[in-house]
Amino acid sequence: MEIYVSLAFLSALSLSVLAWQMYRLDIRREYQGFLPVMISAAVWSLFSAFWLLTSVEMSELMSQVSFLGIISLPVFLLLFAFDFAEVKTFRKKTYRYLFWVIPGVNIILMLTNSWHGLFWSEVFPAEIFPGVFAITFEAGPFYLLHSYYSYLIIIVALALMFIALRRRKAMLAQYLLLPGIIIPLSASMLYVFGVTVIDLTPLVLAFAVLAFGLTVISGIYGANMQELQKLQHKTVEMNLLYELVVRISERLIHTDTPQIGKAIDDVLAELGRFNKVDRVYIFEYDKENDEVNNTFEWCNNGITPEIENLKGIPFDFVPRWRKHFTNNEYVYIPSVKDLPDDPYYEHERGILLPQGIKSLIVVPMYHAHEFVGFTGFDSVRMHKSWEPTIISLLKMTADIIAGSILRAKYEEALIHEKQNAEAANRAKTEFLANMSHELRTPLNAILGFTGIIRDQLDNEDSRDQVQMVLSSGNALLRLINDLLDFSRAEAGNLALKLSDTSISRLLKFVKDTFLPEATDKGIELRVHSPGNDDKHVTVDEGRIRQVLLNMVGNAVKFTHKGYVEVTASLLKAKVCPRSGAGKQYLVFSIKDTGIGIATQDQETIFAPFTQLSTGNSRMYEGTGLGLNIAQRLVELMNGEISLTSQPGAGSTFTVTIPVG
């Protein structure tokens, strides 16, 4: 008896511990039904021990409590098998209650047996072990019904679990399950059919439950391992896609505008192969016409391109897509053929079904809150599903592509506008050149005849009036010449004509040209070239004269007292940034004691049509082209102009030109 009681207590204890541990674990639904199975077995084992340890009067009560576990256990086992085998039909509570009808009736008849004797036909004390008496029973009709019903549903449960374990390829669990159920089932059948005097089932429940518990634990472990492997696979896939997104981003950022189309084609190919789809495409949104156009497409081998058939589609053609895209949401269709057959999906089905698409996902493209279009992924050969995390990365990639598309469009528009501006500038320059030439020809004739008329007049007043006309005409001619030179410089039509030139002749030109004006203004004109008067250089004498004409003219114009000093020198081995060292340089210094130039104005005086102003009005006449033309001519001769000046203290312009 001691062995029987000890093993019964051991079974009850092991069942309770295992049940408690599983209760503490966050286990899946398919294993939750195992808890009442173990609790029923624990009640059976525990009160079977008390049946022998208590008095004869109490042994009947202990036996009844034990039978509560015995009758309940097979039903709980069957319900657990339904969950374990994922039989969805019997997950509804209504169906589960049906299996409790016979056990429920048996429990009621068992507890009220003393009134009718239908469960146990006879109840009497018997010597179970030497000197140990307890109440025992003779089976009644409902006891036999309980036994047969219990064995039947246990066998069904065993078959369901065995099939489920084979499907999951859990070989260890199969080997543990068979003895875990068959051994206690055999012990119970031996007692029911009178082979053994006492029910040995509680004795083997400890070993059976150990095997049964290991079966469930191995199942949990196997399921967790499968989940872990799926998670690892998803993690690897996510990392690979993330690396792909980074590569795509870097490539599109560093791709020049002319090659951006080819880069996007390559990106779609990479995305298509990575996602194992058959077609990837981009539709760009035309806001002006409120339509979308298929502009880029990649197709897998054997897949028919659709890009030429999907142009100028009204954005409202598929209202559901527009609604999603406006809210920056994606469209995911796991099965195109299962789209509802109603008018709301009519156009959507009409576009997708003829293309043979089975599954697709379409993500909107946004850039700085501006809808650019959408990117789609078609699976034609098989149905495909996408995880939300993968979709998020695809959405990020679509936005990166959107930025590249807009950048290319903006840069192309900028290039186009630049070309238009350059064309307009060339047209303006040609107009100025033509007009200047056309105006200068008749003006030269007017000035020539005006000079002749002036020389033939005897009346002083008339001569003065004609002289005013002549002076104004010369001023107009200088203006036209400036415009002509400026237009030639803008058009790049300036050319050099090199010749042997005397430095002294250049200085004589300056003196003859500006001495009368300087004398009239009461300022001194100093012109000299220490030690270089007899030197000759190879330069474009006409262009240098034009430079001196503009720069010395400016100095005389802006000087009201003091002097203007023009110095010419010939230097060797001077370093000139535009031409390098090791040559001779002709250097002109034009120094004046005029109004000077403020620091902030020194950066702008060489700009075209720019002239110094005083207060709110201009004090000096002119086009503002003189210094700009001089600078262009000096640069044409590979020279440079520098300036030092202070307001009220005069200015010094230095012109350095390499010469032969």
Side-chain angles (χ1 to χ4, degrees):
M1 186 190 77
E2 289 79 3
I3 296 176
Y4 184 94
V5 171
S6 299
L7 290 177
F9 275 126
L10 178 61
S11 296
L13 179 62
S14 61
L15 286 164
S16 301
V17 171
L18 184 56
W20 172 247
Q21 290 299 325
M22 291 193 67
Y23 174 77
R24 292 174 58 199
L25 295 174
D26 183 19
I27 58 176
R28 294 163 50 182
R29 172 187 172 88
E30 62 186 275
Y31 299 107
Q32 292 173 357
F34 191 57
L35 293 175
V37 174
M38 291 186 290
I39 293 173
S40 300
V43 170
W44 182 0
S45 299
L46 180 63
F47 286 94
S48 292
F50 287 148
W51 171 62
L52 294 175
L53 293 176
T54 57
S55 63
V56 174
E57 292 76 12
M58 290 293 296
S59 65
E60 183 176 359
L61 176 61
M62 296 297 105
S63 181
Q64 288 177 328
V65 177
S66 175
F67 261 87
L68 291 176
I70 294 172
I71 296 173
S72 302
L73 188 147
V75 183
F76 283 132
L77 183 62
L78 179 63
L79 298 180
F80 164 69
F82 285 147
D83 290 336
F84 187 78
E86 298 179 347
V87 181
K88 297 180 181 180
T89 305
F90 295 103
R91 286 191 173 181
K92 295 183 179 180
K93 291 184 178 180
T94 305
Y95 294 146
R96 288 174 176 257
Y97 290 149
L98 293 176
F99 295 101
W100 281 103
V101 173
I102 294 177
V105 171
N106 284 332
I107 289 174
I108 294 173
L109 293 176
M110 182 266 296
L111 295 175
T112 60
N113 187 76
S114 59
W115 300 347
H116 45 70
L118 294 176
F119 193 78
W120 290 308
S121 60
E122 185 178 357
V123 180
F124 55 90
E127 187 177 15
I128 307 302
F129 291 103
V132 178
F133 290 86
I135 293 297
T136 188
F137 315 94
E138 285 291 336
F142 278 88
Y143 180 86
L144 294 175
L145 175 62
H146 144 70
S147 299
Y148 297 144
Y149 179 75
S150 297
Y151 296 149
L152 175 62
I153 61 178
I154 288 174
I155 292 172
V156 172
L158 177 62
L160 288 173
M161 288 188 287
F162 188 76
I163 292 172
L165 289 171
R166 285 187 64 83
R167 185 174 66 244
R168 300 177 188 181
K169 298 180 180 180
M171 298 301 296
L172 176 61
Q174 292 179 44
Y175 296 140
L176 291 172
L177 177 67
L178 290 173
I181 294 181
I182 293 175
I183 291 176
L185 179 64
S186 301
S188 177
M189 294 177 69
L190 290 175
Y191 171 70
V192 170
F193 293 110
V195 178
T196 58
V197 179
I198 189 171
D199 188 1
L200 300 176
T201 307
L203 304 182
V204 298
L205 275 178
F207 303 104
V209 169
L210 178 62
F212 207 12
L214 290 175
T215 299
V216 176
I217 291 172
S218 66
I220 295 174
Y221 174 77
N224 288 342
M225 286 301 297
Q226 290 179 355
E227 291 294 330
L228 181 60
Q229 290 174 354
K230 289 180 181 178
L231 183 60
Q232 289 176 336
H233 176 73
K234 290 179 182 178
T235 303
V236 171
E237 188 178 32
M238 283 287 295
N239 289 337
L240 291 175
L241 181 55
Y242 178 77
E243 292 174 0
L244 177 60
V245 171
V246 172
R247 289 201 310 272
I248 288 172
S249 178
E250 291 178 348
R251 176 170 184 177
L252 293 178
I253 289 173
H254 294 99
T255 299
D256 295 333
T257 299
Q259 286 78 41
I260 200 70
K262 175 63 167 58
I264 292 177
D265 286 334
D266 294 341
V267 165
L268 295 188
E270 286 192 71
L271 288 172
R273 296 188 187 100
F274 180 87
N275 287 278
K276 296 181 175 62
V277 294
D278 301 302
R279 187 186 293 116
V280 185
Y281 46 84
I282 290 176
F283 278 76
E284 293 184 44
Y285 176 55
D286 181 354
K287 187 175 182 179
E288 182 177 350
N289 298 312
D290 195 30
E291 62 185 23
V292 291
N293 296 281
N294 192 179
T295 53
F296 296 93
E297 183 185 58
W298 169 84
C299 293
N300 208 343
N301 294 332
I303 301 300
T304 304
E306 298 288 345
I307 187 169
E308 298 302 327
N309 304 324
L310 300 171
K311 304 286 188 182
I313 300 176
F315 198 20
D316 281 331
F317 193 69
V318 184
R320 187 171 77 96
W321 288 27
R322 177 165 195 152
K323 179 180 178 182
H324 280 279
F325 295 156
T326 303
N327 296 325
N328 201 2
E329 299 171 348
Y330 62 84
V331 175
Y332 174 35
I333 305 178
S335 178
V336 173
K337 68 180 180 61
D338 293 333
L339 283 172
D341 190 11
D342 61 55
Y344 185 66
Y345 293 89
E346 179 181 358
H347 291 154
E348 196 168 347
R349 292 169 58 87
I351 291 178
L352 302 179
L353 285 175
Q355 298 181 47
I357 301 171
K358 287 185 169 59
S359 303
L360 68 82
I361 183 168
V362 187
V363 294
M365 299 191 305
Y366 271 83
H367 182 74
H369 306 291
E370 178 183 354
F371 177 64
V372 178
F374 55 86
T375 303
F377 301 82
D378 293 349
S379 183
V380 178
R381 293 188 174 97
M382 65 181 67
H383 290 88
K384 181 175 176 59
S385 60
W386 283 269
E387 295 289 336
T389 49
I390 298 295
I391 295 174
S392 298
L393 285 176
L394 294 179
K395 176 68 172 63
M396 182 189 303
T397 308
D399 290 343
I400 293 171
I401 296 173
S404 299
I405 290 175
L406 284 185
R407 174 174 68 88
K409 286 185 176 180
Y410 291 153
E411 290 182 0
E412 288 175 356
L414 183 62
I415 292 172
H416 180 69
E417 291 300 322
K418 181 182 177 183
Q419 291 173 344
N420 288 342
E422 290 175 347
N425 190 52
R426 286 194 299 271
K428 175 204 70 175
T429 301
E430 291 174 2
F431 172 77
L432 287 175
N434 292 333
M435 287 300 298
S436 299
H437 184 270
E438 294 299 325
L439 288 172
R440 190 168 62 169
T441 300
L443 186 57
N444 282 328
I446 292 171
L447 293 176
F449 283 109
T450 302
I452 294 172
I453 293 172
R454 181 198 59 185
D455 294 339
Q456 293 177 352
L457 291 175
D458 296 330
N459 186 287
E460 189 68 24
D461 291 338
S462 298
R463 287 174 61 86
D464 291 341
Q465 291 173 356
V466 174
Q467 180 60 41
M468 290 178 61
V469 173
L470 189 60
S471 298
S472 299
N474 285 323
L476 181 59
L477 182 60
R478 286 195 296 271
L479 171 62
I480 293 173
N481 286 334
D482 284 346
L483 289 174
L484 182 59
D485 290 336
F486 175 75
S487 62
R488 287 174 176 172
E490 283 279 290
N493 292 331
L494 294 176
L496 297 178
K497 296 181 180 179
L498 302 180
S499 63
D500 186 67
T501 302
S502 167
I503 295 178
S504 61
R505 188 165 67 242
L506 291 174
L507 294 179
K508 183 178 184 300
F509 161 76
V510 171
K511 190 170 184 178
D512 292 344
T513 302
F514 295 105
L515 184 58
E517 184 178 354
T519 302
D520 290 343
K521 294 187 68 173
I523 62 175
E524 183 182 359
L525 178 64
R526 303 173 184 174
V527 180
H528 57 93
S529 177
N532 295 303
D533 288 341
D534 58 343
K535 297 289 182 64
H536 286 70
V537 291
T538 302
V539 293
D540 187 329
E541 183 175 350
R543 296 303 183 191
I544 291 182
R545 286 191 178 200
Q546 194 172 357
V547 170
L548 293 173
L549 188 68
N550 286 327
M551 300 195 68
V552 177
N554 261 10
V556 172
K557 182 197 301 186
F558 292 104
T559 303
H560 305 292
K561 60 180 180 178
Y563 63 89
V564 172
E565 182 178 55
V566 180
T567 304
S569 57
L570 194 60
L571 303 179
K572 291 184 178 180
K574 175 178 171 58
V575 176
C576 177
R578 295 182 59 84
S579 58
K583 294 184 177 181
Q584 284 187 320
Y585 295 89
L586 179 59
V587 181
F588 289 98
S589 174
I590 300 98
K591 182 178 180 181
D592 64 64
T593 57
I595 62 174
I597 305 170
T599 303
Q600 63 270 21
D601 293 328
Q602 293 179 20
E603 299 178 359
T604 60
I605 60 171
F606 288 98
F609 305 104
T610 301
Q611 193 175 60
L612 292 179
S613 299
T614 302
N616 295 324
S617 62
R618 288 176 51 180
M619 294 179 58
Y620 304 96
E621 297 180 353
T623 61
L625 292 173
L627 288 179
N628 178 265
I629 294 172
Q631 185 182 51
R632 289 174 181 267
L633 292 173
V634 170
E635 290 177 351
L636 180 66
M637 293 182 282
N638 291 323
E640 61 182 3
I641 300 176
S642 61
L643 166 64
T644 57
S645 181
Q646 290 184 357
S651 306
T652 301
F653 288 86
T654 302
V655 180
T656 304
I657 301 172
V659 296

